[in-house]
Amino acid sequence: MPELPEVEITARLLDQAVAGAKVESAMAPGLNVMKSFKPPLDGLAGDRIDGIRRRGKMLVIDFSSGLSLLIHLMSAGTLQLHGKRAGPKDRTSRVLIRLEPDQGGERELRLREFGTRQRAWAKLMPADEIETDEDVAKLGPEAWPDPVPVGVVTTTDRPLYSLLRDQRTIAGIGRTWVDEILWSARLSPFKRAADLEPEEAERLLASIHDRFQAAIDFYESGLTLPLPDKLPKPLEVHGREGEACSRCGELIHAVHYSDYTLCYCPREQTGGEPLKDRRLSRLLK
Ligand SMILES: [Zn+2]
């Protein structure tokens, strides 16, 4: 699932590769992918890409005509640059933006989505409407690069695990990085934000910034185009149930929900107490 660091590196690498490129054609083979109909996507033919940037967990492709394409990858989407056109039988393509050939090679920006569900979406609109678009306007402050103001997290009594993933509170954190951030800050996922000591709140905000900065540095030093379908992520705790915590050696525990898993270190985050496994407790009811 692409979150802030993954979307940021995608935007940077693609921007370096395609800024200035002229669009040959644009189309949406994904039947439900376009959430806007005017202006039409195929009207981008002949336009030029000014740049590609990130907003929250979304991507924005800016064109010289003054239009921008806002893209949400959701849980299984990816935006890639391909050296060959997608074949007619390719079922993963949602949006195809064909670019004028570069040094003789074909180039195609491809919004792809894996799995059976089609949830990734895109909207084409004037660039100056991006910030007032309903999906952008509701975003809280960006989790990175500027530090999140402390009041954003301490003025509510919601549990940290759901609060941090709420894009209206802070933009950019999802189910992977929330585990990492809470582990770095040594805080329980279910601690209520209003109960944070000032020193804990500082640690949490520093963890958000530092983990994202480190992840972006990691991707920046290791990734080049073409981006792999699955990025290798520098994770310490998420997806590592049963492995030893790299700081204290305790086994990492998990709470399983129907379609995702929360991972944490019980010794350092929950006072040595394992959290109730929701899957088990449901079965035992
Ligand atoms: Zn530990």
Side-chain angles (χ1 to χ4, degrees):
M1 179 174 301
E3 298 175 27
L4 188 150
E6 293 76 37
V7 177
E8 175 70 22
I9 195 66
T10 299
R12 280 189 196 181
L13 291 175
L14 291 176
D15 180 73
Q16 288 160 16
V18 304
K22 192 171 173 189
V23 176
E24 260 187 11
S25 67
M27 65 189 86
L31 287 181
N32 304 316
V33 68
M34 290 305 296
K35 277 170 70 175
S36 68
F37 301 97
K38 272 185 181 175
L41 185 66
D42 58 12
L44 288 173
D47 211 334
R48 252 176 221 288
I49 293 180
D50 266 356
I52 301 187
R53 59 194 166 95
R54 179 191 62 78
R55 187 71 175 84
K57 294 194 275 187
M58 293 177 267
L59 287 158
V60 182
I61 307 180
D62 295 312
F63 297 91
S64 359
S65 61
L67 292 178
S68 293
L69 187 66
L70 178 68
I71 297 174
H72 202 312
L73 303 171
M74 298 303 288
S75 58
T78 173
L79 185 68
Q80 296 170 327
L81 180 63
H82 287 258
K84 235 169 64 179
R85 294 180 169 195
K89 287 186 180 161
D90 175 38
R91 291 177 174 211
T92 61
S93 292
R94 301 289 180 262
V95 173
L96 301 174
I97 301 175
R98 290 175 182 161
L99 305 175
E100 281 202 333
D102 173 48
Q103 292 155 2
E106 291 189 324
R107 292 196 300 168
E108 184 174 75
L109 263 181
R110 209 180 286 174
L111 170 60
R112 303 173 72 205
E113 192 173 24
F114 305 101
T116 49
R117 286 193 288 185
Q118 293 197 25
R119 295 176 60 216
W121 56 255
K123 286 185 210 174
L124 187 63
M125 66 187 84
D128 58 9
E129 289 177 16
I130 289 278
E131 286 302 313
T132 50
D133 174 80
E134 57 176 349
D135 287 293
V136 175
K138 70 182 181 191
L139 296 178
E142 294 275 348
W144 177 95
D146 295 330
V148 175
V150 70
V152 169
V153 290
T154 52
T155 48
T156 160
D157 70 348
R158 291 173 62 190
L160 296 177
Y161 187 69
S162 58
L163 178 72
L164 296 179
R165 287 179 299 127
D166 186 340
Q167 303 305 297
R168 293 167 300 181
T169 309
I170 302 173
I173 305 171
R175 283 169 186 155
T176 298
W177 285 102
V178 70
D179 282 358
E180 298 295 315
I181 288 162
L182 289 169
W183 176 84
S184 285
R186 294 180 169 86
L187 290 170
S188 166
F190 297 111
K191 185 168 183 104
R192 293 192 179 271
D195 295 339
L196 289 171
E197 299 293 336
E199 177 267 328
E200 290 177 321
E202 287 302 323
R203 219 159 66 210
L204 177 62
L205 298 175
S207 296
I208 294 172
H209 180 273
D210 296 352
R211 287 305 303 270
F212 276 174
Q213 183 67 56
I216 291 164
D217 291 346
F218 172 86
Y219 293 142
E220 187 72 67
S221 67
L223 286 179
T224 51
L225 295 180
L227 288 172
D229 291 345
K230 248 189 151 128
L231 300 190
K233 297 180 184 174
L235 304 178
E236 297 280 355
V237 61
H238 185 79
R240 293 184 177 271
E241 180 182 13
E243 294 181 32
C245 169
S246 66
R247 271 190 318 227
C248 75
E250 175 78 283
L251 294 188
I252 290 165
H253 281 231
V255 182
H256 297 269
Y257 296 88
S258 58
D259 56 351
Y260 62 99
T261 300
L262 175 171
C263 293
Y264 66 101
C265 169
R267 181 181 292 169
E268 296 179 288
Q269 290 178 257
T270 57
E273 289 292 312
L275 299 170
K276 231 193 255 174
D277 188 321
R278 305 293 161 109
R279 182 181 52 179
L280 286 176
S281 51
R282 199 170 52 239
L283 290 175
L284 293 171
K285 256 183 199 165

